[in-house]
Amino acid sequence: MKKRGLSALLLSTLLVVGGCEVASKKDVVKEESKEPSIQKPVEIVLLTQSRDETDANVIRDQLSKAGFQVKLNLQPDFGSYTAQEKAGNFDVAISSWTTVTGNPDYAVRSLFKTGGDYNKGPISDPEIDQLIDTAASQTPDEYKATYEKLEQRLVFDKAYIAPLYVSLKSQGLNHTVLKESSVRLSKSRSMVWEAIDFVDESKRGKDPLILQQAISSLTSLDPIKGNDGSINMLNTNMYVRLVNLTDDDKITAEGALSHNYAIAEGNSDYYFLLRDDITFAKIKDKLAVDSQERVGAEDVVFSLNRAKNKDAVPDHRTYSLHEHIQNVEIVTDLNALTSAKQSGGGGTIKEALEKGVKAPISELASEKANADNQAGKYQVVKLTTTKPFPQVLNYLAHQSAGIVSKKQVESINTFDVAKYDVNKDITYGDQATVTEGATYNNALAASGPYILSYKNDYEAVFYKNPGYRKGTEFEPKISKLVVRFIKDADSALAALRSGEIHVYYGIPETKFDLVKNDSKLKLQTLESNGVAYLLFNLENREVSKSEDLRKAVLYAINQEELIKTYNDNKFKASSTLTPLVKTGLELKSDSNKVKEYLKKYAESSK
């Protein structure tokens, strides 16, 4: 009894929350065990944040049963989690990725290619780099075999990650307040704000549409400086793009800056016929005003050139998504459109661009102020890729390809990027400039349907862009939009049920039944491109040195147990590619392999 009491006392000292560590009873090795021990239990530090505590508890138990001594580095929010990640205070971290562009290259390039913006391992593997680039140049029929090789090396040969599950995408809405048909749920694209409407249309100009998100600290309102859950939905609705994704991940010009797009022979040249009915919104006295500055080809060229340039801004976080862009230019010679042929032999580029427009192309304007679509005078942008790369269109639908105002951004970012000083230099889109208080100085210029006016710790307030597609079906229906910051899932659901918010985007699978059973609410779901996985720390840790140790962790993971925790509302994953490419590979937990790899690790550590 004394021995057990002492063990419990020692166990209690291991429990720490938010920067500390947690161990369960299963972490404690019984001294009286008669089984021969390979070595003392291997300590594994598992980094997570409070929203993923369910996953952390299941994974901790699985690893403990496999013979690891697991300690949790449990952080209260995304910001503190990121700080711990950057500091390297973990062996494995619960991470996730949603392929919001609908193409498989996005599911791997930033995450796993050497130097990728979100390569947090970091992984540096020439074979993986080559496979990513090879697959990017292939058609869907060709790239399946290449992505299978990539997944094999990434997960099963090298154990750089350990896949957990594929999630459902979900949202709950109050259908007594909002028209259910106006609230879209897209497989990859974020929520389409401009389409949402009240049941009582008389409320459009009086009442705000109230949404929610968990993260209140916004990475940046400059679309190229962030690619995470804090700003993806916000920037997607603040900046228009050349093309969009449909709800089922097809490329479309609907709701975009382009009337049409066309691919030339060779799949390296892409043409876009621009609209002339969008102007930038600005904020004056915390309200949206029309700047009268048209969104045009000059802004497109500027935006995409800075998107591909790693040195365009300090802390550029999306450059690898656009590294395949070689050149972006304004087309001024009409003969260039008639001489260039469409890919697949379907006629000229001019013919493709003119489909469905009211006036055929009679003249090309070099300056945006001179465009007049009704008179047949258009602007055309030509984008050339470094090599044939049809997936470029998916990247142009991503929020990081949002079109910013050349004039406005250049007026703010006047510093030398190489000498950037975080303490004195203000960058375009800095959240401090839109936060209420002494730092507030909103200099945003939004090309999309809404513009952020101000934020605080409680909410962010947006207003419709008065110069966005006015008089068309794409003009935003509701004048004011509020995004409430509600970190806790139970609190967010309570807010939806009480009418405090109108849409809850990303309802946890464990809460589905509560929404279904509420007569005021409607649950919308579809299988997403979101995959959760364990990311190994590949710098200065035991797991970075030992492939065997990583594989022991890999085969200790039982996905079926995790999925049951969510009432079977998640699905098995092999990698971040799983929702997009069915490779046929599958991770199966295997206690014998765990023992085998732990033994190899122990022998190599002697």
Side-chain angles (χ1 to χ4, degrees):
M1 293 298 291
K2 289 182 179 179
K3 184 178 290 185
R4 290 194 185 114
L6 179 60
S7 296
L9 178 61
L10 290 172
L11 174 64
S12 68
T13 65
L14 293 173
L15 177 60
V16 187
V17 177
C20 310
E21 301 166 337
V22 178
S24 71
K25 291 181 180 178
K26 297 181 179 67
D27 299 331
V28 181
V29 181
K30 295 182 179 179
E31 294 179 14
E32 55 265 48
S33 174
K34 296 180 180 179
E35 292 185 9
S37 177
I38 297 172
Q39 64 166 51
K40 67 178 182 179
V42 178
E43 181 180 288
I44 290 288
V45 177
L46 174 61
L47 173 63
T48 187
Q49 50 187 314
S50 57
R51 72 177 188 185
D52 296 322
E53 193 169 359
T54 297
D55 290 351
N57 288 332
V58 174
I59 293 165
R60 178 185 60 188
D61 287 346
Q62 291 178 355
L63 293 176
S64 297
K65 289 175 184 176
F68 292 94
Q69 181 180 341
V70 185
K71 297 184 178 181
L72 291 189
N73 183 347
L74 179 63
Q75 296 298 317
D77 52 43
F78 180 72
S80 54
Y81 168 90
T82 301
Q84 289 292 301
E85 185 181 56
K86 287 182 178 178
N89 295 330
F90 70 100
D91 293 301
V92 287
I94 296 178
S95 190
S96 62
W97 184 259
T98 300
T99 301
V100 294
T101 59
N103 65 309
D105 188 73
Y106 181 83
V108 293
R109 181 172 295 274
S110 283
L111 294 172
F112 310 129
K113 191 175 181 189
T114 302
D117 332 67
Y118 281 79
N119 187 341
K120 302 293 183 63
I123 297 168
S124 182
D125 188 316
E127 184 173 330
I128 285 180
D129 293 346
Q130 182 180 5
L131 289 167
I132 289 173
D133 284 336
T134 299
S137 66
Q138 296 175 323
T139 65
D141 289 339
E142 297 169 328
Y143 66 44
K144 180 180 177 181
T146 307
Y147 282 126
E148 181 181 344
K149 292 178 183 177
L150 170 58
E151 191 171 82
Q152 177 67 40
R153 184 166 181 84
L154 176 73
V155 179
F156 302 96
D157 293 348
K158 306 300 291 185
Y160 291 132
I161 67 168
L164 299 177
Y165 52 74
V166 178
S167 295
L168 281 171
K169 192 172 185 180
S170 65
Q171 61 189 17
L173 64 103
N174 188 325
H175 64 80
T176 68
V177 178
L178 300 179
K179 292 180 182 178
E180 184 181 328
S181 61
S182 74
V183 186
R184 293 166 51 182
L185 183 63
S186 307
K187 186 172 178 63
S188 294
R189 187 179 174 183
S190 190
M191 188 185 295
V192 182
W193 289 355
E194 69 267 29
I196 301 176
D197 200 2
F198 289 122
V199 172
D200 181 356
E201 295 182 3
S202 68
K203 294 183 176 181
R204 289 174 173 176
K206 298 182 297 184
D207 292 359
L209 167 63
I210 308 176
L211 312 176
Q212 60 71 230
Q213 74 173 35
I215 304 172
S216 61
S217 178
L218 310 182
T219 303
S220 177
L221 284 313
D222 183 337
I224 65 173
K225 281 177 63 65
N227 189 17
D228 57 67
S230 76
I231 47 78
N232 279 342
M233 180 170 67
L234 311 187
N235 283 347
T236 295
N237 288 283
M238 282 239 299
Y239 300 99
V240 73
R241 296 160 299 285
L242 284 174
V243 290
N244 278 320
L245 292 175
T246 63
D247 291 346
D248 58 353
D249 284 353
K250 302 294 189 299
I251 301 296
T252 180
E254 185 175 290
L257 181 59
S258 302
H259 285 288
N260 284 316
Y261 66 91
I263 308 173
E265 285 181 320
N267 295 336
S268 287
D269 291 332
Y270 301 78
Y271 294 82
F272 303 88
L273 185 71
L274 302 192
R275 314 188 62 86
D276 66 353
D277 60 353
I278 301 175
T279 55
F280 289 102
K282 290 186 177 182
I283 293 295
K284 183 178 181 181
D285 298 326
K286 288 193 173 181
L287 295 176
V289 296
D290 188 344
S291 71
Q292 302 297 318
E293 180 195 356
R294 181 178 290 170
V295 182
E298 299 94 315
D299 305 299
V300 173
V301 172
F302 173 75
S303 298
L304 297 184
N305 276 331
R306 72 194 292 264
K308 71 169 185 171
N309 179 8
K310 183 178 180 179
D311 300 319
V313 291
D315 198 23
H316 194 329
R317 299 192 184 185
T318 59
Y319 61 87
S320 71
L321 302 184
H322 305 289
E323 63 185 5
H324 41 266
I325 298 176
Q326 179 173 298
N327 188 48
V328 190
E329 60 186 306
I330 301 173
V331 180
T332 56
D333 182 4
L334 192 56
N335 291 327
L337 304 184
T338 55
S339 61
K341 304 297 181 182
Q342 297 176 44
S343 178
T348 68
I349 292 298
K350 183 174 183 290
E351 290 170 341
L353 295 179
E354 287 179 328
K355 286 182 180 178
V357 297
K358 292 181 180 179
I361 305 170
S362 60
E363 188 177 348
L364 296 180
S366 60
E367 296 181 5
K368 60 186 180 182
N370 296 330
D372 183 352
N373 292 181
Q374 289 186 338
K377 193 171 183 177
Y378 296 88
Q379 283 197 300
V380 170
V381 170
K382 176 185 176 184
L383 182 150
T384 302
T385 55
T386 54
K387 59 184 177 182
F389 187 52
Q391 292 189 53
V392 69
L393 293 170
N394 294 79
Y395 285 118
L396 295 177
H398 186 253
Q399 61 90 13
S400 62
I403 307 306
V404 297
S405 165
K406 179 178 186 293
K407 176 182 175 182
Q408 186 70 357
V409 173
E410 287 185 333
S411 72
I412 302 298
N413 291 2
T414 57
F415 50 84
D416 183 344
V417 174
K419 297 178 181 179
Y420 171 72
D421 185 342
V422 69
N423 296 311
K424 68 174 185 178
D425 294 323
I426 302 297
T427 61
Y428 175 82
D430 188 331
Q431 78 153 340
T433 64
V434 297
T435 302
E436 287 185 310
T439 61
Y440 182 84
N441 183 24
N442 193 326
L444 295 175
S447 59
Y450 284 88
I451 184 169
L452 174 60
S453 172
Y454 64 90
K455 72 171 288 285
N456 49 45
D457 290 339
Y458 177 62
E459 65 186 12
V461 175
F462 293 78
Y463 292 99
K464 67 181 284 186
N465 177 353
Y468 187 84
R469 306 290 302 276
K470 196 166 184 177
T472 74
E473 63 178 299
F474 298 100
E475 178 183 353
K477 306 291 190 299
I478 299 173
S479 297
K480 183 179 180 181
L481 186 148
V482 175
V483 177
R484 292 268 164 81
F485 301 128
I486 308 175
K487 180 172 62 175
D488 178 69
D490 289 327
S491 299
L493 183 56
L496 178 67
R497 300 182 72 181
S498 68
E500 206 177 314
I501 62 174
H502 301 137
V503 183
Y504 179 2
Y505 187 66
I507 293 178
E509 290 88 345
T510 53
K511 309 295 182 184
F512 283 1
D513 287 343
L514 291 173
V515 177
K516 290 177 181 177
N517 294 330
D518 191 319
S519 61
K520 303 186 302 298
L521 307 181
K522 172 68 177 180
L523 178 70
Q524 299 175 330
T525 64
L526 52 78
E527 188 173 340
S528 77
N529 290 335
V531 177
Y533 59 95
L534 292 181
L535 173 70
F536 287 96
N537 185 347
L538 300 179
E539 287 188 327
N540 304 317
R541 309 285 289 200
E542 284 298 302
V543 291
S544 65
K545 303 172 189 174
S546 175
E547 184 180 302
D548 292 320
L549 186 54
R550 298 197 300 271
K551 287 182 177 178
V553 173
L554 174 70
Y555 287 105
I557 299 302
N558 187 318
Q559 293 187 5
E560 286 86 353
E561 286 183 357
L562 269 170
I563 291 169
K564 286 179 182 177
T565 304
Y566 292 95
N567 301 323
D568 294 323
N569 285 316
K570 292 188 185 289
F571 311 93
K572 292 198 70 174
S574 295
S575 76
T576 49
L577 287 164
T578 298
L580 300 139
V581 182
K582 305 304 180 186
T583 64
L585 300 176
E586 182 180 359
L587 174 63
K588 295 181 179 179
S589 61
D590 191 325
S591 58
N592 290 327
K593 285 186 177 180
V594 173
K595 293 174 183 177
E596 174 190 344
Y597 287 120
L598 281 176
K599 183 178 179 181
K600 287 183 178 180
Y601 166 69
E603 291 172 348
S604 65
S605 300
K606 290 179 180 178

